[in-house]
PDB file of all heavy atoms in Angstrom:
ATOM      1  N   GLU A1110     -23.233 113.557-143.922  1.00  0.00           N
ATOM      2  CA  GLU A1110     -24.105 114.310-143.018  1.00  0.00           C
ATOM      3  C   GLU A1110     -25.555 114.345-143.519  1.00  0.00           C
ATOM      4  O   GLU A1110     -26.500 114.219-142.732  1.00  0.00           O
ATOM      5  CB  GLU A1110     -23.589 115.728-142.872  1.00  0.00           C
ATOM      6  CG  GLU A1110     -24.440 116.634-142.055  1.00  0.00           C
ATOM      7  CD  GLU A1110     -23.858 118.047-141.961  1.00  0.00           C
ATOM      8  OE1 GLU A1110     -22.960 118.409-142.737  1.00  0.00           O
ATOM      9  OE2 GLU A1110     -24.330 118.786-141.106  1.00  0.00           O
ATOM     10  N   GLN A1111     -25.760 114.456-144.831  1.00  0.00           N
ATOM     11  CA  GLN A1111     -27.115 114.524-145.373  1.00  0.00           C
ATOM     12  C   GLN A1111     -27.873 113.220-145.158  1.00  0.00           C
ATOM     13  O   GLN A1111     -29.110 113.207-145.187  1.00  0.00           O
ATOM     14  CB  GLN A1111     -27.065 114.846-146.874  1.00  0.00           C
ATOM     15  CG  GLN A1111     -26.499 116.214-147.162  1.00  0.00           C
ATOM     16  CD  GLN A1111     -27.286 117.334-146.494  1.00  0.00           C
ATOM     17  OE1 GLN A1111     -28.518 117.302-146.465  1.00  0.00           O
ATOM     18  NE2 GLN A1111     -26.585 118.304-145.925  1.00  0.00           N
ATOM     19  N   GLU A1112     -27.202 112.136-144.890  1.00  0.00           N
ATOM     20  CA  GLU A1112     -27.851 110.838-144.691  1.00  0.00           C
ATOM     21  C   GLU A1112     -28.370 110.660-143.258  1.00  0.00           C
ATOM     22  O   GLU A1112     -29.085 109.702-142.965  1.00  0.00           O
ATOM     23  CB  GLU A1112     -26.894 109.707-145.047  1.00  0.00           C
ATOM     24  CG  GLU A1112     -26.560 109.708-146.523  1.00  0.00           C
ATOM     25  CD  GLU A1112     -25.547 108.660-146.925  1.00  0.00           C
ATOM     26  OE1 GLU A1112     -25.444 107.616-146.211  1.00  0.00           O
ATOM     27  OE2 GLU A1112     -24.887 108.850-147.935  1.00  0.00           O
ATOM     28  N   ILE A1113     -28.000 111.566-142.369  1.00  0.00           N
ATOM     29  CA  ILE A1113     -28.444 111.455-140.968  1.00  0.00           C
ATOM     30  C   ILE A1113     -29.952 111.409-140.885  1.00  0.00           C
ATOM     31  O   ILE A1113     -30.514 110.628-140.094  1.00  0.00           O
ATOM     32  CB  ILE A1113     -27.865 112.577-140.096  1.00  0.00           C
ATOM     33  CG1 ILE A1113     -26.339 112.365-139.964  1.00  0.00           C
ATOM     34  CG2 ILE A1113     -28.525 112.619-138.732  1.00  0.00           C
ATOM     35  CD1 ILE A1113     -25.622 113.447-139.219  1.00  0.00           C
ATOM     36  N   LYS A1114     -30.658 112.162-141.717  1.00  0.00           N
ATOM     37  CA  LYS A1114     -32.138 112.126-141.705  1.00  0.00           C
ATOM     38  C   LYS A1114     -32.648 110.707-142.008  1.00  0.00           C
ATOM     39  O   LYS A1114     -33.602 110.258-141.426  1.00  0.00           O
ATOM     40  CB  LYS A1114     -32.690 113.124-142.742  1.00  0.00           C
ATOM     41  CG  LYS A1114     -32.514 114.538-142.346  1.00  0.00           C
ATOM     42  CD  LYS A1114     -33.056 115.441-143.409  1.00  0.00           C
ATOM     43  CE  LYS A1114     -32.735 116.904-143.110  1.00  0.00           C
ATOM     44  NZ  LYS A1114     -33.212 117.802-144.161  1.00  0.00           N
ATOM     45  N   GLU A1115     -31.983 110.021-142.908  1.00  0.00           N
ATOM     46  CA  GLU A1115     -32.345 108.656-143.239  1.00  0.00           C
ATOM     47  C   GLU A1115     -32.108 107.743-142.047  1.00  0.00           C
ATOM     48  O   GLU A1115     -32.910 106.832-141.778  1.00  0.00           O
ATOM     49  CB  GLU A1115     -31.537 108.132-144.438  1.00  0.00           C
ATOM     50  CG  GLU A1115     -31.853 108.841-145.735  1.00  0.00           C
ATOM     51  CD  GLU A1115     -30.899 108.416-146.829  1.00  0.00           C
ATOM     52  OE1 GLU A1115     -30.489 107.241-146.853  1.00  0.00           O
ATOM     53  OE2 GLU A1115     -30.616 109.289-147.710  1.00  0.00           O
ATOM     54  N   TYR A1116     -31.007 107.945-141.359  1.00  0.00           N
ATOM     55  CA  TYR A1116     -30.692 107.118-140.184  1.00  0.00           C
ATOM     56  C   TYR A1116     -31.723 107.339-139.094  1.00  0.00           C
ATOM     57  O   TYR A1116     -32.166 106.376-138.454  1.00  0.00           O
ATOM     58  CB  TYR A1116     -29.300 107.453-139.654  1.00  0.00           C
ATOM     59  CG  TYR A1116     -28.189 107.372-140.652  1.00  0.00           C
ATOM     60  CD1 TYR A1116     -27.054 108.139-140.513  1.00  0.00           C
ATOM     61  CD2 TYR A1116     -28.233 106.488-141.732  1.00  0.00           C
ATOM     62  CE1 TYR A1116     -26.013 108.072-141.445  1.00  0.00           C
ATOM     63  CE2 TYR A1116     -27.222 106.413-142.657  1.00  0.00           C
ATOM     64  CZ  TYR A1116     -26.104 107.209-142.509  1.00  0.00           C
ATOM     65  OH  TYR A1116     -25.067 107.136-143.404  1.00  0.00           O
ATOM     66  N   VAL A1117     -32.130 108.564-138.901  1.00  0.00           N
ATOM     67  CA  VAL A1117     -33.144 108.911-137.875  1.00  0.00           C
ATOM     68  C   VAL A1117     -34.477 108.199-138.239  1.00  0.00           C
ATOM     69  O   VAL A1117     -35.136 107.616-137.396  1.00  0.00           O
ATOM     70  CB  VAL A1117     -33.327 110.419-137.735  1.00  0.00           C
ATOM     71  CG1 VAL A1117     -34.544 110.755-136.891  1.00  0.00           C
ATOM     72  CG2 VAL A1117     -32.059 111.023-137.122  1.00  0.00           C
ATOM     73  N   ALA A1118     -34.839 108.258-139.548  1.00  0.00           N
ATOM     74  CA  ALA A1118     -36.077 107.599-140.000  1.00  0.00           C
ATOM     75  C   ALA A1118     -35.999 106.077-139.761  1.00  0.00           C
ATOM     76  O   ALA A1118     -36.973 105.469-139.350  1.00  0.00           O
ATOM     77  CB  ALA A1118     -36.334 107.906-141.456  1.00  0.00           C
ATOM     78  N   GLU A1119     -34.839 105.490-140.011  1.00  0.00           N
ATOM     79  CA  GLU A1119     -34.648 104.051-139.781  1.00  0.00           C
ATOM     80  C   GLU A1119     -34.753 103.693-138.314  1.00  0.00           C
ATOM     81  O   GLU A1119     -35.391 102.681-137.944  1.00  0.00           O
ATOM     82  CB  GLU A1119     -33.309 103.608-140.349  1.00  0.00           C
ATOM     83  CG  GLU A1119     -33.040 102.144-140.270  1.00  0.00           C
ATOM     84  CD  GLU A1119     -33.879 101.314-141.213  1.00  0.00           C
ATOM     85  OE1 GLU A1119     -34.430 101.848-142.168  1.00  0.00           O
ATOM     86  OE2 GLU A1119     -33.969 100.093-140.972  1.00  0.00           O
ATOM     87  N   VAL A1120     -34.196 104.507-137.465  1.00  0.00           N
ATOM     88  CA  VAL A1120     -34.309 104.311-136.014  1.00  0.00           C
ATOM     89  C   VAL A1120     -35.766 104.377-135.611  1.00  0.00           C
ATOM     90  O   VAL A1120     -36.263 103.535-134.845  1.00  0.00           O
ATOM     91  CB  VAL A1120     -33.477 105.338-135.212  1.00  0.00           C
ATOM     92  CG1 VAL A1120     -33.810 105.312-133.752  1.00  0.00           C
ATOM     93  CG2 VAL A1120     -31.973 105.085-135.420  1.00  0.00           C
ATOM     94  N   LYS A1121     -36.497 105.377-136.113  1.00  0.00           N
ATOM     95  CA  LYS A1121     -37.900 105.525-135.766  1.00  0.00           C
ATOM     96  C   LYS A1121     -38.698 104.296-136.203  1.00  0.00           C
ATOM     97  O   LYS A1121     -39.549 103.805-135.461  1.00  0.00           O
ATOM     98  CB  LYS A1121     -38.458 106.786-136.429  1.00  0.00           C
ATOM     99  CG  LYS A1121     -39.857 107.103-136.002  1.00  0.00           C
ATOM    100  CD  LYS A1121     -40.296 108.428-136.577  1.00  0.00           C
ATOM    101  CE  LYS A1121     -41.678 108.804-136.120  1.00  0.00           C
ATOM    102  NZ  LYS A1121     -42.116 110.104-136.668  1.00  0.00           N
ATOM    103  N   ARG A1122     -38.429 103.770-137.410  1.00  0.00           N
ATOM    104  CA  ARG A1122     -39.131 102.598-137.925  1.00  0.00           C
ATOM    105  C   ARG A1122     -38.836 101.359-137.064  1.00  0.00           C
ATOM    106  O   ARG A1122     -39.715 100.549-136.775  1.00  0.00           O
ATOM    107  CB  ARG A1122     -38.706 102.278-139.363  1.00  0.00           C
ATOM    108  CG  ARG A1122     -39.461 103.065-140.406  1.00  0.00           C
ATOM    109  CD  ARG A1122     -39.234 102.507-141.798  1.00  0.00           C
ATOM    110  NE  ARG A1122     -37.841 102.585-142.232  1.00  0.00           N
ATOM    111  CZ  ARG A1122     -37.250 103.650-142.770  1.00  0.00           C
ATOM    112  NH1 ARG A1122     -37.947 104.757-142.947  1.00  0.00           N
ATOM    113  NH2 ARG A1122     -35.997 103.625-143.141  1.00  0.00           N
ATOM    114  N   ASN A1123     -37.587 101.205-136.663  1.00  0.00           N
ATOM    115  CA  ASN A1123     -37.154  99.972-135.957  1.00  0.00           C
ATOM    116  C   ASN A1123     -37.267 100.050-134.445  1.00  0.00           C
ATOM    117  O   ASN A1123     -37.433  99.010-133.789  1.00  0.00           O
ATOM    118  CB  ASN A1123     -35.754  99.607-136.370  1.00  0.00           C
ATOM    119  CG  ASN A1123     -35.670  99.101-137.768  1.00  0.00           C
ATOM    120  OD1 ASN A1123     -36.241  98.057-138.066  1.00  0.00           O
ATOM    121  ND2 ASN A1123     -35.017  99.831-138.652  1.00  0.00           N
ATOM    122  N   LYS A1124     -37.121 101.235-133.892  1.00  0.00           N
ATOM    123  CA  LYS A1124     -37.059 101.371-132.416  1.00  0.00           C
ATOM    124  C   LYS A1124     -38.105 102.303-131.856  1.00  0.00           C
ATOM    125  O   LYS A1124     -38.154 102.517-130.651  1.00  0.00           O
ATOM    126  CB  LYS A1124     -35.687 101.882-132.000  1.00  0.00           C
ATOM    127  CG  LYS A1124     -34.530 100.980-132.447  1.00  0.00           C
ATOM    128  CD  LYS A1124     -34.610  99.635-131.746  1.00  0.00           C
ATOM    129  CE  LYS A1124     -33.460  98.750-132.170  1.00  0.00           C
ATOM    130  NZ  LYS A1124     -33.530  97.423-131.581  1.00  0.00           N
ATOM    131  N   GLY A1125     -38.943 102.911-132.719  1.00  0.00           N
ATOM    132  CA  GLY A1125     -39.954 103.840-132.247  1.00  0.00           C
ATOM    133  C   GLY A1125     -39.333 105.186-131.881  1.00  0.00           C
ATOM    134  O   GLY A1125     -38.271 105.570-132.317  1.00  0.00           O
ATOM    135  N   GLU A1126     -40.057 105.919-131.033  1.00  0.00           N
ATOM    136  CA  GLU A1126     -39.680 107.301-130.675  1.00  0.00           C
ATOM    137  C   GLU A1126     -38.677 107.362-129.519  1.00  0.00           C
ATOM    138  O   GLU A1126     -38.172 108.429-129.221  1.00  0.00           O
ATOM    139  CB  GLU A1126     -40.938 108.092-130.309  1.00  0.00           C
ATOM    140  CG  GLU A1126     -41.952 108.224-131.379  1.00  0.00           C
ATOM    141  CD  GLU A1126     -41.577 109.275-132.402  1.00  0.00           C
ATOM    142  OE1 GLU A1126     -40.841 110.202-132.072  1.00  0.00           O
ATOM    143  OE2 GLU A1126     -42.043 109.171-133.550  1.00  0.00           O
ATOM    144  N   ARG A1127     -38.455 106.243-128.872  1.00  0.00           N
ATOM    145  CA  ARG A1127     -37.650 106.261-127.631  1.00  0.00           C
ATOM    146  C   ARG A1127     -36.326 106.982-127.773  1.00  0.00           C
ATOM    147  O   ARG A1127     -35.900 107.694-126.872  1.00  0.00           O
ATOM    148  CB  ARG A1127     -37.418 104.837-127.162  1.00  0.00           C
ATOM    149  CG  ARG A1127     -36.548 104.785-125.942  1.00  0.00           C
ATOM    150  CD  ARG A1127     -36.355 103.373-125.436  1.00  0.00           C
ATOM    151  NE  ARG A1127     -35.365 103.401-124.382  1.00  0.00           N
ATOM    152  CZ  ARG A1127     -34.482 102.455-124.182  1.00  0.00           C
ATOM    153  NH1 ARG A1127     -34.507 101.386-124.933  1.00  0.00           N
ATOM    154  NH2 ARG A1127     -33.603 102.551-123.211  1.00  0.00           N
TER     155      ARG A1127
END
Side-chain angles (χ1 to χ4, degrees):
E1110 177 181 14
Q1111 295 301 319
E1112 295 177 25
I1113 291 175
K1114 290 179 186 177
E1115 294 173 32
Y1116 306 151
V1117 170
E1119 184 71 17
V1120 168
K1121 187 175 182 178
R1122 276 193 297 276
N1123 289 296
K1124 301 295 180 182
E1126 299 281 336
R1127 177 178 172 215

